[in-house]
Amino acid sequence: MQAFLRIIKPGDLLLIVVLLIISFLPFGIFYLQSQSDGDRIAVISLDGENIETVNLSAHPNHDIFNVETASGETNTIAVSDGTLRISSATCPDQVCVRTGFIEHAGETIVCLPHRLVIEIKAESEDPPQDIDIISSFIHFH
Amino acid sequence: MTKNQRLVYIALLASQAVVIGLVERAIPSPFFFAPGAKLGLANIITVMALYTLPTKDTIKVVVIRLLLQTLLGGTLSTFFYSASGAALSFIGMWFIKLLPQKAVSLIGVSATGAVLHNVGQLLIASVIAQTFSVMLYLPVLSLIGILTGIAIGITANYLLTHIERLHYYMDLRTLKRDLI
């Protein structure tokens, strides 16, 4: 601890605060964006292509289905009580399974080995102009 | 530093970074609650190179480490992730290091490196997944990154002050910069 206090400089603390703010920036953007309260739609896309949508707000009961990639790998998706998760997958890292349940707008499950993305979007009456901002951001990078 | 000394030093740093990276991959990640988070021990070497070598040679160390690590058990997609992470974190650390040494120590430099490494990786992930919402994972990763970055900074500082040769190289570098 003494060694730590001797090394650390005031600029470091300032820098750490700035880094913390930077790292919570995406949170702020998505919070502003998810203010709308409409139906929550889970959009399942494979390799950038939209293959299935599930309306979580209107989903009455439990549902389990498989998504198969072109190379025969599968992800099993379980929907229950307005939440969604990947219950099992044939990918090597299992990050998607460990992500667990998602339910709020803006939350995602990503299975990179299978290039599978599940994203919950809020459907509202307003024109979704924020989507343009985000897509332009992605194309920018 | 003679030309040969520098050559050997670059090679040593790069190979040490590769070995540290491989050893780190062999031990299970202590951050079981955050998949994808890691200690980033190899960053010790990058920070040390940054403080003891000219910028051009530091880039050499980083690039050699990246290529070797990919060849020793990486794939094309992990290469893109680590390349963007390494590039962004190197640029960030380089800029932070420009600040006067009285104001910012190794801790700040390596914490910046850790956070920007995560930013770079998640940017590539969001490009591949074509959704910006992957970035929502950033707070988890960078909180851990800041903590490990502080630890890495202390470790690198310890090495730079206690290993005589490194200390000498560092003095040599600051001396040269002051003269120019």
Side-chain angles (χ1 to χ4, degrees):
Chain A
M1 195 65 200
Q2 255 180 343
F4 171 70
L5 289 176
R6 205 168 52 232
I7 300 166
I8 199 158
K9 310 252 166 68
D12 293 333
L13 295 174
L14 196 75
L15 209 60
I16 287 167
V17 172
V18 171
L19 290 174
L20 279 175
I21 293 169
I22 289 173
S23 55
F24 279 95
L25 216 58
F27 248 36
I29 294 168
F30 274 85
Y31 180 72
L32 290 176
Q33 190 197 321
S34 63
Q35 286 297 323
S36 53
D37 48 354
D39 279 0
R40 290 174 296 118
I41 314 282
V43 180
I44 301 164
S45 51
L46 198 63
D47 219 350
E49 268 181 70
N50 207 329
I51 55 161
E52 198 156 346
T53 56
V54 181
N55 190 336
L56 288 179
S57 300
H59 213 276
N61 45 25
H62 303 258
D63 192 11
I64 291 180
F65 56 95
N66 283 335
V67 172
E68 249 179 74
T69 65
S71 51
E73 307 284 339
T74 55
N75 291 63
T76 308
I77 297 168
V79 185
S80 61
D81 301 327
T83 65
L84 181 147
R85 71 169 174 136
I86 292 183
S87 56
S88 68
T90 54
C91 57
D93 58 6
Q94 299 285 311
V95 168
C96 54
V97 177
R98 285 197 281 164
T99 308
F101 286 101
I102 56 169
E103 53 177 322
H104 300 296
E107 287 185 308
T108 49
I109 302 179
V110 181
C111 183
L112 279 174
H114 298 171
R115 296 166 74 85
L116 176 88
V117 179
I118 305 173
E119 184 175 8
I120 299 185
K121 289 180 173 159
E123 198 166 78
S124 59
E125 272 70 52
D126 316 327
Q129 52 170 11
D130 38 20
I131 287 171
D132 290 343
I133 296 169
I134 290 167
S135 64
S136 67
F137 190 81
I138 291 166
H139 289 300
F140 179 71
H141 281 278
Chain B
M1 227 189 298
T2 65
K3 209 177 157 200
N4 280 346
Q5 268 178 325
R6 185 154 67 213
L7 209 62
V8 172
Y9 185 52
I10 292 171
L12 268 177
L13 281 182
S15 54
Q16 279 169 350
V18 171
V19 170
I20 290 174
L22 289 178
V23 168
E24 193 193 333
R25 208 184 304 173
I27 56 173
S29 171
F31 308 110
F32 58 91
F33 48 86
K38 54 177 196 161
L39 286 170
L41 291 175
N43 204 30
I44 296 175
I45 302 295
T46 316
V47 174
M48 267 168 29
L50 205 61
Y51 271 81
T52 50
L53 280 172
T55 310
K56 212 174 79 186
D57 293 331
T58 314
I59 295 173
K60 274 181 210 159
V61 171
V62 174
V63 170
I64 293 169
R65 192 204 84 200
L66 262 175
L67 290 178
L68 279 181
Q69 218 156 30
T70 311
L71 288 174
L72 289 167
T75 60
L76 196 63
S77 66
T78 59
F79 173 72
F80 283 128
Y81 288 124
S82 28
S84 71
L88 209 62
S89 94
F90 175 74
I91 292 167
M93 290 196 288
W94 189 81
F95 271 109
I96 295 297
K97 208 187 150 274
L98 286 184
L99 298 171
Q101 286 209 4
K102 265 186 215 128
V104 177
S105 71
L106 274 159
I107 293 176
V109 171
S110 77
T112 312
V115 171
L116 286 180
H117 187 87
N118 294 328
V119 172
Q121 285 191 319
L122 287 179
L123 276 178
I124 287 287
S126 55
V127 167
I128 288 179
Q130 294 185 359
T131 163
F132 179 61
S133 43
V134 180
M135 292 299 281
L136 280 179
Y137 198 42
L138 182 65
V140 183
L141 286 185
S142 49
L143 272 182
I144 296 172
I146 288 171
L147 291 179
T148 58
I150 292 171
I152 299 288
I154 294 170
T155 314
N157 187 79
Y158 195 81
L159 289 172
L160 283 177
T161 43
H162 286 78
I163 297 179
E164 205 180 324
R165 190 74 351 204
L166 289 178
H167 196 64
Y168 170 66
Y169 285 162
M170 189 169 71
D171 285 348
L172 215 63
R173 174 149 162 62
T174 36
L175 213 68
K176 210 185 255 174
R177 199 184 53 193
D178 288 346
L179 284 177
I180 297 164

